[in-house]
Amino acid sequence: MLDISEHDTSSARPATGWAERMFKLKEHNTTVRTELVAGLTTFLTMAYIIFVNPSILGDAGMPKDAVFVATCLIAALGTAIMAFYANYPIALAPGMGLNAYFAYVVVLQMGFTWQAALGAVFVSGCLFLLVTLFKLRELIIRGIPQSIRVAITVGIGLFLAIIALKSAGIVAPSKATYITLGDLHTPQVVLATLGFFTIVVLDRLKVPGAILIGIIAVTVLSFFFGGNTFHGVFSAPPSIAPTFLQLDIKSALSGGILNVILVFFLVELFDATGTLMGVARRAGLLVPGKMDRLNKSLLADSGAIFAGSLLGTSSTTAYVESAAGVQAGGRTGLTALTVAVLFLAALVISPLAGSVPAYATAPALFFVACLMLRDITELDWDDTTEVIPAAVTALAMPFTYSIANGLAFGFITYAVLKLFTGRARQVHWMVWLIGGVFLFKFIYIGGH
């Protein structure tokens, strides 16, 4: 198994000029080329959001074309802030799960207008920003036990794995067993499998850009064997006017939607925090002395939620797919800046970006998922009050399809086990607070 720190940079030329001054590439043992390849890798694994987000929010009655522009703009803006302010190789975009909750629960099930739902996102973003500015998120992070920190990385790996297997068609829904084996004879399964082995072999042989090569190879083959069609390169971007500043804050502050704001806030808080910690830990950035950058990254994704509601999209969050870029060698904000530029370019090259099928990026995500499981060896398996909450955290993330839910179950389990084994004094006060908040949410609001 190859660790992300083992990429060969011995023959790389020293980085000079603006990029070195801005992103401190030599300090992070990386090069401009490595960062650009990592950025392109991350973008390709998450470019699906450009098309999926308008489709989901469109079901809530939002103008799809305007949502497409808002999605590209907030992804570019949020990721650029992450690049320049925090110097982290992590990309931001409207979050999956949060957009589904926005459309199918808040608007279609609860009956609120999409303008009011945007207002709820705005208010939750303001709360999120305040919590970050007053360093409450920093307190939360310091209060997370080491076993749960390890579990976050492992859980994100499992979460990426189920996303990848679903995208490749290897797992499929089943009424009897929830999930089952998909049809292995389809072209996408065969191509995804070939892509996975290609990536693993190239990475083992230390071929630079192994993940990117795998994605591109499967995409090219998809035109010949997968029924994929090429729709050109350029198209003019539509207007953002139908969603820009259309949020209804007054309705969002009415009594009935306050629960919605709390759900948005809690999921944003722990989904983004968990993702940032997990990916940063894999990149070797979550160490004493570098926590200041993590704090800056928390502020970057807080501001992105606020801005996204103004542009006209559901909550923005850090993307677990950033782990693919980290595995490709990304260590600094130059990786994120590359992603930001590509999201801006997507406004006019959406046909080209849309030609990369989900089963082409699935092998990359599954490869990264496999490597992220190695952290499980760091757990103290002799102490069940540590390892069981960690296991619950990691397993709940893929099985509830939510990083935030995994953290919630983990915190509650940790607190309960420590309490009933007479070790309550070992627990940081923040764990009791967070566990209590989640317990309140599950009992009185539900599991959304």
Side-chain angles (χ1 to χ4, degrees):
M1 184 180 292
L2 180 68
D3 190 4
I4 54 175
S5 62
E6 293 177 5
H7 283 271
D8 184 16
T9 56
S10 58
S11 61
R13 291 190 300 272
T16 57
W18 173 82
E20 170 59 31
R21 292 194 303 273
M22 178 63 66
F23 301 111
K24 299 180 174 60
L25 303 181
K26 282 190 287 186
E27 179 184 321
H28 293 90
N29 197 27
T30 186
T31 64
V32 171
R33 180 189 178 281
T34 299
E35 296 289 301
L36 294 179
V37 169
L40 180 56
T41 301
T42 294
F43 174 76
L44 290 177
T45 59
M46 62 182 289
Y48 66 86
I49 195 62
I50 297 172
F51 310 100
V52 175
N53 198 48
S55 175
I56 291 174
L57 298 188
D59 289 345
M62 295 188 70
K64 291 184 179 181
D65 287 346
V67 174
F68 163 79
V69 178
T71 302
C72 292
L73 288 179
I74 194 56
L77 176 63
T79 307
I81 295 171
M82 183 69 75
F84 289 116
Y85 185 59
N87 195 20
Y88 258 19
I90 295 175
L92 305 174
M96 290 294 293
L98 284 166
N99 53 8
Y101 177 72
F102 179 106
Y104 303 123
V105 178
V106 180
V107 177
L108 296 179
Q109 184 179 317
M110 299 176 71
F112 292 102
T113 65
W114 62 261
Q115 290 89 344
L118 280 180
V121 173
F122 175 84
V123 175
S124 71
C126 291
L127 291 173
F128 203 36
L129 205 53
L130 287 173
V131 164
T132 306
L133 286 171
F134 284 104
K135 299 192 180 295
L136 292 179
R137 279 179 83 185
E138 186 178 337
L139 278 176
I140 290 170
I141 287 172
R142 293 187 188 280
I144 295 177
Q146 178 61 22
S147 57
I148 301 293
R149 292 186 183 211
V150 171
I152 290 170
T153 307
V154 176
I156 288 175
L158 293 171
F159 190 48
L160 283 176
I162 199 166
I163 291 172
L165 292 172
K166 176 175 172 286
S167 298
I170 294 173
V171 300
S174 165
K175 288 184 178 179
T177 60
Y178 291 105
I179 60 171
T180 188
L181 189 65
D183 183 357
L184 301 184
H185 298 93
T186 60
Q188 59 260 40
V189 171
V190 175
L191 291 175
T193 304
L194 288 174
F196 176 70
F197 286 121
T198 298
I199 290 171
V200 176
V201 170
L202 291 178
D203 187 83
R204 182 60 190 168
L205 297 175
K206 290 183 166 36
V207 176
I211 296 176
L212 183 59
I213 291 170
I215 294 172
I216 293 173
V218 175
T219 301
V220 171
L221 290 173
S222 71
F223 292 114
F224 299 97
F225 305 106
N228 196 3
T229 54
F230 184 68
H231 296 291
V233 178
F234 300 103
S235 67
S239 171
I240 196 176
T243 60
F244 184 61
L245 298 180
Q246 294 301 307
L247 63 167
D248 184 352
I249 300 173
K250 183 178 179 182
S251 295
L253 293 173
S254 66
I257 205 170
L258 291 180
N259 284 347
V260 171
I261 293 172
L262 180 60
V263 172
F264 275 138
F265 173 72
L266 287 175
V267 175
E268 288 158 1
L269 177 62
F270 289 96
D271 206 43
T273 302
T275 301
L276 286 167
M277 285 187 65
V279 177
R281 193 171 186 276
R282 279 305 287 163
L285 300 173
L286 198 63
V287 294
K290 294 186 178 179
M291 285 292 289
D292 60 320
R293 288 172 61 193
L294 180 66
N295 297 335
K296 288 181 177 180
S297 71
L298 298 176
L299 199 58
D301 80 322
S302 301
I305 298 171
F306 175 85
S309 65
L310 300 178
L311 291 172
T313 182
S314 54
S315 303
T316 303
T317 189
Y319 258 61
V320 292
E321 284 85 353
S322 301
V326 167
Q327 180 61 34
R331 293 293 178 276
T332 74
L334 184 54
T335 293
L337 180 60
T338 304
V339 177
V341 171
L342 289 169
F343 268 113
L344 272 184
L347 286 169
V348 294
I349 62 166
S350 59
L352 180 62
S355 66
V356 179
Y359 59 83
T361 58
L365 294 181
F366 194 65
F367 170 64
V368 174
C370 292
L371 295 185
M372 292 183 81
L373 299 186
R374 66 178 295 159
D375 286 10
I376 203 166
T377 58
E378 296 182 23
L379 294 173
D380 180 5
W381 290 89
D382 293 325
D383 186 349
T384 52
T385 65
E386 293 288 337
V387 78
I388 296 299
V392 169
T393 301
L395 292 171
M397 286 185 186
F399 291 134
T400 65
Y401 220 73
S402 166
I403 293 170
N405 283 341
L407 276 169
F409 293 145
F411 271 109
I412 293 170
T413 305
Y414 190 90
V416 168
L417 290 181
K418 292 293 185 182
L419 177 64
F420 287 105
T421 55
R423 302 168 73 179
R425 290 186 177 182
Q426 297 178 7
V427 182
H428 193 284
W429 64 269
M430 186 57 74
V431 174
W432 298 111
L433 178 61
I434 294 170
V437 169
F438 273 122
L439 208 55
F440 172 83
K441 173 183 175 289
F442 288 137
I443 293 172
Y444 293 101
I445 302 177
H448 295 300

